Amino acid sequence: MSQRLVLLGPPGSGKGTQGTLLAAALAIPEISTGALLRDQMARGSALGVEARTYIAQGHLVPDAVVNAMVRDRLGADDAVRGFILDGYPRNVPQVGVLDQMLDELGWRLSAALEFSLAENLVVERLTRRAALEGRADDSEDVIRERLAVYHAQTEPIARVYRERGLLKRVDAAGTVEDVTARVCLALGVAV
Ligand code: AMP
């Protein structure tokens, strides 16, 4: 059966890493809005230029921009097999927009996986990633802002999916392998 998954969790919870592993194992595309936006910025497109100021400050890029990007990507041929959305939806209005897109396509989500990690571990991981990857939005001030945005705007999404019976929580502490094992257990898949 096709897996159509949404990954939730704070920046630094490892959802990107797990999303990439899972997408490869299930042979379905990983659709990361953060990665798509960074790609647009690297190419210097109009969309990238618009997104840059929001991302640099740790704020969300306007919904209209991100929604259009996801709509486009879900329309590509490979999404028919299933997909993993990493970083979208990011606020409650985006949940509604995704619902509408999926309705139009005749698809239903399989699950929303929420990666949970204590705040001190989140900050530790993001600080380490800053040193390794040099992402401009991994500086201390911007990390703090991104976490505030996460709590205010993204965390409430979990409740919406919980009420629909779609939420599966995964403890994101430990090694990459530990977390992958928990993800597989939660989804009932083998990687
Ligand atoms: P991420 O790689 O998922 O941490 O995303 C990096 C940045 O891209 C975020 O801090 C936001 O500025 C922007 N971004 C990614 N996904 C979204 C989204 N669904 N809605 C709005 N902004 C987003």
Side-chain angles (χ1 to χ4, degrees):
M1 210 184 73
S2 303
Q3 291 278 354
R4 300 191 186 97
L5 304 170
V6 162
L7 305 187
L8 301 172
S13 60
K15 64 182 176 356
T17 303
Q18 295 299 328
T20 305
L21 290 170
L22 199 59
L26 299 173
I28 55 178
E30 178 196 21
I31 304 176
S32 157
T33 43
L36 290 172
L37 289 166
R38 282 188 288 280
D39 182 52
Q40 293 285 338
M41 288 197 297
R43 287 196 272 142
S45 69
L47 196 157
V49 171
E50 186 185 353
R52 183 180 298 276
T53 34
Y54 297 97
I55 293 178
Q57 293 172 355
H59 296 149
L60 295 187
V61 173
D63 287 351
V65 173
V66 182
N67 290 335
M69 217 171 62
V70 172
R71 181 179 289 277
D72 235 45
R73 185 62 189 83
L74 284 179
D77 289 346
D78 61 349
V80 173
R81 287 184 276 127
F83 53 80
I84 298 177
L85 281 171
D86 166 13
Y88 185 92
R90 197 76 158 226
N91 57 25
V92 173
Q94 290 182 11
V95 173
V97 174
L98 176 62
D99 286 342
Q100 206 181 327
M101 289 187 223
L102 295 178
D103 259 5
E104 286 166 18
L105 291 160
W107 295 339
R108 277 178 179 279
L109 285 181
S110 315
L113 277 185
E114 185 183 31
F115 292 85
S116 60
L117 191 66
E119 187 107 346
N120 62 321
L121 293 180
V122 164
V123 173
E124 199 182 293
R125 283 194 192 171
L126 285 173
T127 311
R128 204 177 329 135
R129 183 169 81 185
L132 286 173
E133 294 180 14
R135 254 175 70 164
D137 61 347
D138 275 344
S139 70
E140 201 181 320
D141 281 359
V142 182
I143 286 174
R144 214 171 298 124
E145 185 58 26
R146 285 163 64 210
L147 286 173
V149 167
Y150 175 76
H151 291 308
Q153 302 201 48
T154 311
E155 225 164 30
I157 291 178
R159 190 164 158 225
V160 177
Y161 287 128
R162 187 182 312 122
E163 285 168 357
R164 296 185 191 177
L166 286 175
L167 192 73
K168 294 179 194 288
R169 291 193 93 196
V170 174
D171 175 6
T175 64
V176 171
E177 293 76 16
D178 291 339
V179 182
T180 303
R182 291 180 202 130
V183 169
C184 291
L185 205 63
L187 292 177
V189 300
V191 167

